[in-house]
Amino acid sequence: MAETAASPTPAKTPVDKDLAVRTSPAEVLRDAFAAGSLAGTVEISELPFLTMVGIRAAAGSDAAQRIAAVTGGLPAGSGAVAGSGDTSVLWLGPAEFLVVAPTEAHESLGGGLIQALRDALGGDSGQVVDLSANRTTFELTGPQARSVLEKGCSLDLHPRVFKPGTAYSTEIGNIPALLWKTGEESFRVFPRASFAEFLGRWLLDGMREYASPEVP
Amino acid sequence: MLLIPCPNCGPRDETEFHYGGQAHVPYPENPNELSDTEWSRYLFYRSNTKGTFAERWVHSTGCRQWFNMLRDTVSYDIQAIYPMGAPRPDRAGTTGAESGTASLAADSTTTGTAAPDISGTSISSATTAAPEGATK
Ligand SMILES: [Zn+2]
């Protein structure tokens, strides 16, 4: 996964620039995702190569305020998601956040987000780390998406509790993952790259029953 | 399965946490001056409390923060959650069981600011002659 090498002087080789030659963590499941998706019921796909940046900065510090100015805010507590435009910031801990942005925001493709965050942190204590290759992103949508997740996640996912625009670091299918509810019936799931195939197959297995007629 | 109330994230399944053992075991002020026996007692000897026990937990798959918990080792009742570094809360209704060996030390993480006496972490000294106030 050399595409996310975050050196201060990025060597922009043609390979870095060419998304077509990259292999995403759940690439092997692309056909299975298409075959297992049920339009209008529950669908799954991988959103590969999103730009993700790990942030550590003490809440209220000058560095945190400068970083917040770049991202459009930092979330205040568990579940909160901040950000502006197509850049979102998920709360991971009291002084730890994950910035999620489109693929093109990555510096290997000419984006300036990560460097802007580095500049915002400056020499202060904290971290700005390119984590784009650390996790991949699954998008799970449809009226049955919640029921699929509920098979392996012990959080209360009922809409009266779990609102769109919240995200939690938790366990899904017995592995650590981030779960972000982006809409009434749409979720983003972030497994670590090494767990991507496992969780992808786990979710496909959870979706399978909805392909059959409901047993009364 | 325990439902553990993380101070940052709220109630979560026990599987999201890892156990950190007995709380309030101070790091020796001068480790180099300890005999092998004393060092081994600091490293390996812990209370085996029946009743209310102060212990450390970390929310591994959540906020990744450590905290302290008072838990009844018989009923598994979680009686209190409090921050690392805070003194053990005074629980009037505790069972009166032996309540740990070095529970007076405020700082349970690295630098022991109180209770520099390493013998305070020894099981034998605690059971035969508990330090004054140790069961407070
Ligand atoms: Zn937590």
Side-chain angles (χ1 to χ4, degrees):
Chain A
M1 309 309 293
E3 75 279 2
T4 55
S7 86
T9 52
K12 289 183 182 172
T13 68
V15 174
D16 288 327
K17 290 181 178 176
D18 191 351
L19 280 174
V21 303
R22 297 187 188 180
T23 303
S24 66
E27 175 81 31
V28 292
L29 295 178
R30 184 189 292 178
D31 293 342
F33 278 180
S37 290
L38 303 155
T41 305
V42 55
E43 297 178 67
I44 189 170
S45 59
E46 184 188 19
L47 301 176
F49 312 127
L50 292 189
T51 300
M52 300 189 212
V53 192
I55 303 283
R56 277 179 180 259
S61 65
D62 290 346
Q65 287 176 11
R66 292 195 301 270
I67 289 169
V70 173
T71 60
L74 291 177
S78 177
V81 177
S84 66
D86 50 16
T87 300
S88 300
V89 193
L90 280 59
W91 186 93
L92 299 186
E96 188 175 8
F97 312 95
L98 184 72
V99 179
V100 181
T103 309
E104 316 80 69
H106 196 268
E107 51 199 358
S108 65
L109 300 170
L113 174 67
I114 303 175
Q115 190 56 47
L117 290 167
R118 277 193 209 105
D119 293 342
L121 178 66
D124 291 10
S125 59
Q127 285 181 350
V128 171
V129 184
D130 178 11
L131 296 180
S132 304
N134 188 23
R135 297 181 172 94
T136 191
T137 309
F138 293 156
E139 192 155 62
L140 195 68
T141 58
Q144 297 295 351
R146 169 163 74 98
S147 347
V148 172
L149 289 169
E150 280 172 342
K151 296 176 182 186
C153 178
S154 64
L155 290 180
D156 188 351
L157 302 184
H158 192 282
R160 84 177 151 248
V161 175
F162 194 31
K163 310 278 188 197
T166 39
Y168 291 107
S169 179
T170 184
E171 289 179 353
I172 302 172
N174 296 320
I175 60 129
L178 305 178
L179 176 62
W180 178 14
K181 186 171 182 178
T182 49
E184 290 296 343
E185 292 180 345
S186 59
F187 301 85
R188 283 187 181 182
V189 180
F190 301 86
R192 297 205 190 263
S194 54
F195 286 119
E197 185 181 349
F198 168 82
L199 188 62
R201 292 194 190 281
W202 195 94
L203 291 168
L204 280 171
D205 190 41
M207 292 162 59
R208 190 167 299 151
E209 64 164 301
Y210 303 104
S212 311
E214 192 168 347
V215 178
Chain B
M1 169 105 61
L2 291 175
L3 192 62
I4 297 178
C6 171
N8 295 306
C9 308
R12 296 288 183 95
D13 276 0
E14 179 185 354
T15 54
E16 295 195 3
F17 297 83
H18 279 99
Y19 186 61
Q22 181 180 351
H24 310 299
V25 178
Y27 189 78
E29 283 214 333
N30 298 303
N32 291 336
E33 295 172 9
L34 299 185
S35 68
D36 285 353
T37 304
E38 289 168 328
W39 180 243
S40 71
R41 287 191 185 279
Y42 162 71
L43 284 183
F44 305 119
Y45 282 61
R46 296 295 183 265
S47 294
N48 186 18
T49 300
K50 183 178 182 181
T52 302
F53 188 50
E55 56 197 14
R56 304 178 301 176
W57 289 81
V58 61
H59 191 188
S60 316
T61 54
C63 60
R64 306 206 288 174
Q65 302 296 303
W66 286 90
F67 56 91
N68 287 323
M69 180 193 295
L70 278 188
R71 181 179 63 92
D72 190 309
T73 57
V74 179
S75 66
Y76 286 74
D77 179 35
I78 296 170
Q79 300 171 339
I81 301 281
Y82 56 105
M84 301 301 287
R88 177 182 169 135
D90 192 7
R91 300 293 295 185
T94 53
T95 60
E98 158 60 26
S99 68
T101 52
S103 59
L104 290 184
D107 191 335
S108 62
T109 49
T110 48
T111 53
T113 52
D117 182 1
I118 188 60
S119 70
T121 62
S122 136
I123 293 295
S124 58
S125 76
T127 47
T128 56
E132 234 182 294
T135 57
K136 187 173 90 178

